[in-house]
Amino acid sequence: MRKLSILFLLLLSALTYAQNTGSVSGKLTDKEYNNEPLAFANVLIKGTTKGTTSDFDGLYTFNDLEVGSYTLVFSFVGYETQEIPVQITAGNDIKVNVSMSASAASLDEVVITTTTTRESEQALLTEQRKAVEIKQSIGAQELSRKGVSDAAGAVAKISGVSKQEGSSNVYVRGLGDRYLNTTMNGLSLPSNDVNKKNIDLNLFSSDVIQNVSISKAYAAQFYGDFAAGNVDITSKEHNGGFFVDAFVGSGFNTNAIDKNFVRSEGSGYFGYYGRYEHNPFAIILSHGVDPVSVDTPINVAYGASIGNSFKFDNGSKLSVFFTGSFENSYEYRRGKNIDFTTVEKKAFEDSEEFEYGTTSTAMANLKYKINNDNRLSFNSVFINSSSDEVGYFGIDGNGRNRDAILDTDQGFYQQNIQFDQTRMFVNQLLGNHKSGKLELDWGFGYNKVFSDQPDRKRFSVENYQFALDNDPNTNPTFYSNVVFDNQRYFQKIEDDEYNGRINLAYQSNENLKFNFGYNGRHKTRQFNNIRYGYDIVDGGFQITDVNNFDSIFNLENLNLNTASNGIYEIKVINPYPGLSNTNRPGLFENTYSGELNIYSGYIDAEITAGEKWLFVPGVRLESFEQNISYDVINLGNDGVDSKTSNETFILPSLNIKYTLNDEQNLRLSASRTVSTPEFKEIAPFVYEDVSTRIGGNPDVLGYSDVLNIDLKYEWFFGKSEIFSVGAFTKQIDNPINLVVVGDATGTQRYVRTGDQATIYGFEVELRKNLLVDEDDNANLSFGINATYMNTKQDLYETIDGTFDLAFDRNEDELQGASPFLLNADVSYSPTSNENYKPVANLVFSYFSDRIDALGSGDLGNIVEKSVPTLDFIWKNTIKENFEINFSAKNLLNPTIQYVREDQNFGDVLVVSANGKGVTDYKRGLNIGLQLKYKF
């Protein structure tokens, strides 16, 4: 009885207390970002120690407050602090919703504002949790912490994504370049490489990136050419007041630092080539061929950003942001260069490459907020990227070539000097407008790309071992089986693209929203190339100095007539009418022009059923037209032709989200998409490297049907913490693969290899804070994501077409698919005083063996061997405005290898058309130091 009395008194006390207390709750929204929820803002009760932070949805709550008057203080870094009085009454919950706007008063706050909204890990996880489709993002904050310098490195940190070593190729769920799309702010980007569909993500430095997202599940607003996913780069913008920051950095590659470095003659330190307006023949007559020496190979990087916002009396605001940077890099690779089909064709057991790369970036972003319902922005990006490679193959004197004239077993040597430059301009005008239940979002863009390979020089030598014996009586000679064994090569690509998107959203009620949209693209490409061959008149000419070809290939030694007794003549394949093909300028050797037109409309509905279900059915109607005309020399009379494809696609999609609770989602996605060939896959032009050849195939014209199904579970269990697991499957009809055609040249071409390919896979991701401080910020955290995939495709027994081939097996794995991918990182940021904030990171990635190119006939596949990568990044912030950052990348320094599978010889080392000029090499460690100051 006594216990019952005590329990009764306790219940009575609690009830009495509850009758004399109340609560206050509400939602914080970001006025600077379309009134989206503002997570992790501070809410304090003035004059007390009570406080909380807003959650992922911007919600906050104070319970059990005694009746009376209070003042709530709302604050967020870089935003205006607001104080709002509130009267608490017994038994009632008072609602106080607050819209936060950026402050222009504090410089320090403004600087941080640029990275707290759409760049932070917490904000992007919030966006991922609320998204109607399956997507993942990585923001500038995480990129900086992990030492990622560009968009290619960024996406490789996302589950199911890997980057090919030695190139910029990105694979999503085992599917490579041809199955991806790349956009910036939702507008398509062009390619900068004739051999690629997508832009090189290495070109986008982290200075211009707010975040990078990958949508792996299809929705109606995406273009129909969607199989692996859509990579979208959101450009950096600014919301606060005036700020300036600048950085300078330096470093070195452990392989390159002690080398006597060289680069192409005619290329500049900043990655520019100043002779594009001159006829290639005039360049050959005027300029030498030998590479030039450079100073100590030390990497440098520097740049600056500036931004400001201007508020006007009518309530509108103009925000401006400018950034520019330059960085270079020196790399040295020593390995093998081997061309092996069923037999060895060419082998350089000892080869070396010197590569000097540069990237210059400039971006301007102007954002004009007319009012809370109308916004305009203009974004302009310029990127100049260059790669300058000088390669020496067979430097030990033991190079082999089965087609050699003097000795097939030793002494074959080649030199390749190659400069590539890309200049890209991206211009975008974007707008967002709201009126009642309607919201209009639109964008228009114009892209211009110049991608050039000017004046590649390649020389072939026999008896190179005599250059190493110090005997002046024995010397090498030029290998000249055909005129173009010694050559100069010029290639140009020019792309123009206009694109646009528009989406009208209608919020019928709380449970129903419609999206009506349009996407369009008009793209053109012009390609041409020309070669000039050095025809050695005297086949026995002695090369007394292999490091001074300028003493040979100059005007004094040009054989102008039978009486001049010159050493060489200059030959061209396609002479001008009425002119000789000897010692005269010529016309382009190969050309092609392409045009792409896509016009599409779509509709989808966001249907909320109860508090748990969200259904998003959609359908897209897309008109696809592709035209290509080519004139290439390698097909004889069939080399002049044009191809056209006209298709209309109806593409349904369904995305379903079931909210298990406030922290957990279950998602299902199903869709039909297509895969269409690129210009470079159709045009049969062949690009010849030292030991690889790659070309297109007009037989691939058409499209592939793709069926996509995804299932995913997400648990957002804490601040910047997530656990997710997913399963996916894809079925691709009539897939296109890169295949080594079983002919005498071993050329790799794009081929429709079978009726169907299937992919099954699983993904898992975990981000967890192990130690946190009193503000729930992580001191020690780790993240890991892994993907397992099983791929299978059937192969035709024989293929009859422009290029005939056969397979000795009826199925294989899909080209480019790694069965296993892994990314992991550990971050340690100990609590310290306000004047010093260190953060240390270890970042690891791994992909297992994958097929680089299928082998046909008796040829085995070319396989890219697995690569583990480990980076260490140590960031040190001193007094909020000064940073000293150290990085040591590629700590494991693995050996990079490509092999040809062969039943008789086992795995044979070869070079890849998708990789560098050598195989079986190490990249070396990249050590860097950066200083950054925020004014």
Side-chain angles (χ1 to χ4, degrees):
M1 184 69 179
R2 183 170 176 271
K3 292 182 178 179
L4 289 175
S5 298
I6 294 174
L7 179 60
F8 175 75
L9 289 174
L10 289 173
L11 291 173
L12 181 63
S13 297
L15 180 61
T16 303
Y17 180 77
Q19 290 175 342
N20 290 282
T21 62
S23 62
V24 60
S25 62
K27 183 176 184 178
L28 300 183
T29 55
D30 188 348
K31 195 174 183 179
E32 303 302 324
Y33 201 81
N34 298 328
N35 288 316
E36 290 288 324
L38 185 61
F40 314 115
N42 296 315
V43 187
L44 304 173
I45 299 179
K46 191 174 183 178
T48 74
T49 59
K50 291 184 178 181
T52 187
T53 58
S54 55
D55 65 11
F56 283 116
D57 294 316
L59 302 176
Y60 73 93
T61 301
F62 288 102
N63 292 315
D64 300 327
L65 296 177
E66 294 183 1
V67 172
S69 298
Y70 299 88
T71 299
L72 301 181
V73 181
F74 300 89
S75 64
F76 188 69
V77 178
Y79 281 61
E80 295 280 2
T81 298
Q82 298 187 43
E83 296 187 4
I84 297 178
V86 61
Q87 183 70 37
I88 301 298
T89 58
N92 292 322
D93 179 34
I94 307 302
K95 295 292 184 183
V96 179
N97 299 323
V98 179
S99 179
M100 304 285 286
S101 59
S103 167
S106 169
L107 289 179
D108 289 339
E109 290 179 346
V110 166
V111 171
I112 299 174
T113 298
T114 66
T115 61
T116 51
T117 52
R118 316 309 296 174
E119 301 178 2
S120 70
E121 295 173 68
Q122 297 96 324
L124 292 173
L125 282 177
T126 301
E127 186 177 275
Q128 180 179 331
R129 183 172 67 87
K130 295 178 62 180
V132 298
E133 76 272 9
I134 298 174
K135 66 182 294 186
Q136 290 173 272
S137 302
I138 185 169
Q141 188 181 88
E142 187 176 355
L143 297 183
S144 176
R145 177 171 63 83
K146 294 182 177 180
V148 176
S149 60
D150 53 57
V155 296
K157 304 303 178 187
I158 294 175
S159 60
V161 182
S162 65
K163 179 177 178 291
Q164 185 178 42
E165 176 53 41
S167 80
S168 59
N169 291 337
V170 171
Y171 293 88
V172 177
R173 290 177 169 175
L175 299 177
D177 175 68
R178 70 172 322 278
Y179 294 104
L180 292 174
N181 286 314
T182 307
T183 57
M184 186 171 192
N185 302 316
L187 294 171
S188 58
L189 286 172
S191 172
N192 63 295
D193 188 335
V194 66
N195 290 316
K196 293 181 65 178
K197 168 186 175 184
N198 292 279
I199 192 86
D200 183 346
L201 292 176
N202 286 334
L203 300 179
F204 291 91
S205 69
S206 55
D207 301 317
V208 303
I209 297 172
Q210 184 165 273
N211 61 69
V212 181
S213 65
I214 291 186
S215 297
K216 301 176 185 176
Y218 181 71
Q221 72 266 25
F222 296 119
Y223 285 104
D225 187 3
F226 185 109
N230 187 89
V231 179
D232 185 58
I233 301 168
T234 300
S235 59
K236 189 168 288 189
E237 58 184 26
H238 177 65
N239 287 320
F242 179 76
F243 87 95
V244 176
D245 66 32
F247 74 89
V248 61
S250 185
F252 61 90
N253 177 273
T254 55
N255 283 0
I257 189 63
D258 61 342
K259 302 299 186 298
N260 295 319
F261 228 82
V262 290
R263 69 168 186 257
S264 299
E265 184 278 333
S267 62
Y269 176 81
F270 291 98
Y272 284 89
Y273 180 84
R275 304 169 185 166
Y276 290 121
E277 299 304 318
H278 300 285
N279 186 282
F281 187 72
I283 294 172
I284 292 173
L285 297 180
S286 305
H287 297 279
V289 298
D290 288 327
V292 296
S293 298
V294 299
D295 295 331
T296 305
I298 295 178
N299 305 335
V300 299
Y302 49 83
S305 300
I306 183 171
N308 201 2
S309 294
F310 306 91
K311 293 185 177 180
F312 304 103
D313 294 339
N314 61 0
S316 62
K317 185 173 80 169
L318 175 65
S319 299
V320 296
F321 173 69
F322 301 94
T323 184
S325 65
F326 168 79
E327 64 178 20
N328 65 12
S329 63
Y330 293 87
E331 291 187 9
Y332 173 81
R333 298 178 290 272
R334 189 160 186 171
K336 299 175 172 61
N337 180 295
I338 298 174
D339 183 7
F340 185 96
T341 52
T342 54
V343 296
E344 180 184 277
K345 300 177 63 178
K346 189 190 296 184
F348 303 106
E349 297 287 350
D350 195 3
S351 304
E352 61 182 354
E353 280 191 320
F354 299 83
E355 182 175 4
Y356 174 69
T358 71
T359 301
S360 302
T361 305
M363 186 182 79
N365 177 271
L366 286 76
K367 185 173 65 174
Y368 182 53
K369 185 180 76 172
I370 302 171
N371 51 46
N372 289 338
D373 295 327
N374 296 279
R375 299 165 187 262
L376 297 173
S377 65
F378 174 73
N379 200 59
S380 183
V381 181
F382 167 73
I383 296 174
N384 180 78
S385 177
S386 73
S387 172
D388 198 334
E389 292 184 356
V390 178
Y392 303 106
F393 306 94
I395 58 178
D396 59 353
N398 293 318
R400 303 184 296 273
N401 184 351
R402 70 174 185 177
D403 295 324
I405 299 172
L406 301 180
D407 192 337
T408 60
D409 295 327
Q410 67 173 340
F412 197 75
Y413 167 90
Q414 287 191 288
Q415 180 184 118
N416 190 71
I417 305 168
Q418 179 173 318
F419 175 74
D420 293 85
Q421 181 182 4
T422 295
R423 293 161 292 158
M424 185 181 73
F425 303 83
V426 176
N427 297 282
Q428 299 178 335
L429 182 63
L430 310 167
N432 181 268
H433 312 277
K434 297 178 181 178
S435 178
K437 295 183 177 183
L438 297 174
E439 180 176 359
L440 182 67
D441 189 72
W442 56 270
F444 297 99
Y446 170 65
N447 305 323
K448 181 76 173 182
V449 174
F450 299 95
S451 186
D452 301 286
Q453 189 179 108
D455 201 7
R456 183 190 73 193
K457 303 115 178 170
R458 184 175 299 160
F459 300 100
S460 304
V461 173
E462 292 195 89
N463 282 335
Y464 184 77
Q465 72 274 15
F466 293 153
L468 308 176
D469 63 6
N470 296 318
D471 183 351
N473 297 315
T474 58
N475 294 294
T477 58
F478 284 108
Y479 173 71
S480 189
N481 186 37
V482 297
V483 168
F484 296 101
D485 286 324
N486 302 280
Q487 61 170 266
R488 293 171 80 163
Y489 174 94
F490 299 80
Q491 176 178 294
K492 279 182 170 290
I493 304 170
E494 185 174 336
D495 273 14
D496 286 273
E497 180 175 338
Y498 297 88
N499 53 66
R501 61 174 175 82
I502 187 168
N503 186 89
L504 178 63
Y506 173 65
Q507 188 76 51
S508 178
N509 53 55
E510 292 183 355
N511 299 321
L512 181 61
K513 178 182 178 181
F514 292 99
N515 288 289
F516 306 90
Y518 168 85
N519 303 89
R521 296 179 66 188
H522 170 72
K523 174 182 176 180
T524 60
R525 168 175 292 178
Q526 301 295 327
F527 167 88
N528 63 67
N529 83 314
I530 188 170
R531 285 183 301 171
Y532 286 94
Y534 288 114
D535 188 9
I536 309 301
V537 177
D538 179 4
F541 176 80
Q542 301 284 301
I543 306 172
T544 57
D545 187 354
V546 293
N547 297 313
N548 187 10
F549 285 151
D550 283 345
S551 64
I552 301 171
F553 297 106
N554 55 55
L555 291 179
E556 292 181 1
N557 293 325
L558 182 62
N559 190 58
L560 296 176
N561 52 62
T562 56
S564 66
N565 296 318
I567 299 172
Y568 70 94
E569 296 176 340
I570 301 174
K571 301 284 188 177
V572 69
I573 288 285
N574 193 9
Y576 279 96
L579 291 183
S580 168
N581 73 333
T582 303
N583 298 332
R584 296 291 186 273
L587 299 171
F588 296 130
E589 183 175 324
N590 296 282
T591 65
Y592 74 78
S593 61
E595 181 177 358
L596 175 69
N597 294 295
I598 300 177
Y599 309 104
S600 53
Y602 64 87
I603 180 173
D604 68 33
E606 300 176 20
I607 305 168
T608 303
E611 298 181 354
K612 300 288 188 180
W613 291 95
L614 174 64
F615 297 89
V616 188
V619 64
R620 180 183 187 89
L621 180 65
E622 183 168 290
S623 171
F624 176 90
E625 180 185 0
Q626 187 179 47
N627 305 292
I628 187 165
S629 299
Y630 53 85
D631 184 347
V632 297
I633 64 169
N634 61 294
L635 290 181
N637 293 333
D638 294 329
V640 181
D641 204 350
S642 61
K643 301 289 183 180
T644 300
S645 175
N646 289 280
E647 306 289 347
T648 300
F649 306 122
I650 300 176
L651 306 174
S653 62
L654 176 64
N655 286 277
I656 301 174
K657 181 174 76 170
Y658 179 71
T659 304
L660 298 169
N661 52 46
D662 290 341
E663 297 178 342
Q664 301 176 69
N665 293 324
L666 189 62
R667 298 177 181 273
L668 175 67
S669 176
S671 62
R672 180 224 173 190
T673 58
V674 295
S675 176
T676 56
E678 279 292 297
F679 298 142
K680 51 97 176 183
E681 296 177 330
I682 303 170
F685 156 74
V686 174
Y687 180 84
E688 296 184 9
D689 213 329
V690 173
S691 294
T692 61
R693 289 150 295 278
I694 188 168
N697 177 8
D699 297 341
V700 300
L701 198 67
Y703 68 95
S704 303
D705 264 314
V706 184
L707 176 65
N708 313 277
I709 300 176
D710 291 82
L711 179 65
K712 187 175 185 179
Y713 164 77
E714 301 171 326
W715 179 20
F716 303 86
F717 57 88
K719 185 177 180 181
S720 71
E721 296 179 314
I722 182 177
F723 171 75
S724 68
V725 59
F728 59 90
T729 182
K730 295 179 182 293
Q731 177 180 295
I732 305 173
D733 294 340
N734 302 311
I736 294 176
N737 286 266
L738 187 61
V739 179
V740 184
V741 179
D743 59 17
T745 65
T747 301
Q748 298 182 25
R749 294 189 182 273
Y750 298 92
V751 180
R752 292 196 180 274
T753 52
D755 289 324
Q756 193 173 94
T758 56
I759 303 169
Y760 302 94
F762 301 92
E763 295 177 338
V764 62
E765 179 181 16
L766 174 64
R767 298 189 207 175
K768 174 63 180 171
N769 298 330
L770 301 177
L771 297 174
V772 296
D773 60 19
E774 61 273 13
D775 296 321
D776 204 30
N777 295 313
N779 293 141
L780 179 64
S781 64
F782 82 95
I784 185 169
N785 65 70
T787 302
Y788 171 76
M789 291 178 293
N790 178 276
T791 66
K792 184 175 69 174
Q793 61 175 325
D794 58 68
L795 301 175
Y796 295 129
E797 182 177 351
T798 60
I799 298 175
D800 298 323
T802 305
F803 306 100
D804 297 338
L805 58 95
F807 290 102
D808 62 357
R809 58 203 182 279
N810 55 24
E811 67 177 34
D812 210 329
E813 296 179 349
L814 196 65
Q815 176 217 340
S818 291
F820 183 68
L821 306 171
L822 177 67
N823 298 307
D825 66 272
V826 177
S827 178
Y828 179 57
S829 51
T831 302
S832 57
N833 60 60
E834 294 183 357
N835 294 327
Y836 177 53
K837 299 177 181 178
V839 181
N841 293 273
L842 276 174
V843 183
F844 176 81
S845 63
Y846 170 82
F847 64 82
S848 60
D849 295 359
R850 56 191 172 204
I851 297 174
D852 184 64
L854 290 173
S856 64
D858 296 329
L859 299 180
N861 297 329
I862 296 177
V863 175
E864 180 184 10
K865 303 300 286 184
S866 62
V867 174
T869 303
L870 180 65
D871 299 335
F872 173 71
I873 297 93
W874 183 21
K875 296 176 63 67
N876 300 274
T877 303
I878 302 172
K879 292 186 177 180
E880 298 293 341
N881 60 345
F882 182 55
E883 290 183 17
I884 302 177
N885 304 320
F886 171 80
S887 64
K889 299 184 178 182
N890 196 38
L891 292 172
L892 302 177
N893 200 18
T895 301
I896 311 303
Q897 292 182 328
Y898 293 84
V899 299
R900 164 83 72 190
E901 296 177 329
D902 188 271
Q903 295 178 353
N904 299 316
F905 299 94
D907 289 348
V908 179
L909 286 165
V910 294
V911 289
S912 165
N914 293 313
K916 298 298 185 180
V918 293
T919 185
D920 197 34
Y921 69 94
K922 293 180 179 293
R923 290 169 47 210
L925 279 65
N926 290 307
I927 310 298
L929 182 68
Q930 182 196 68
L931 306 179
K932 187 173 184 179
Y933 191 81
K934 303 174 182 178
F935 295 91

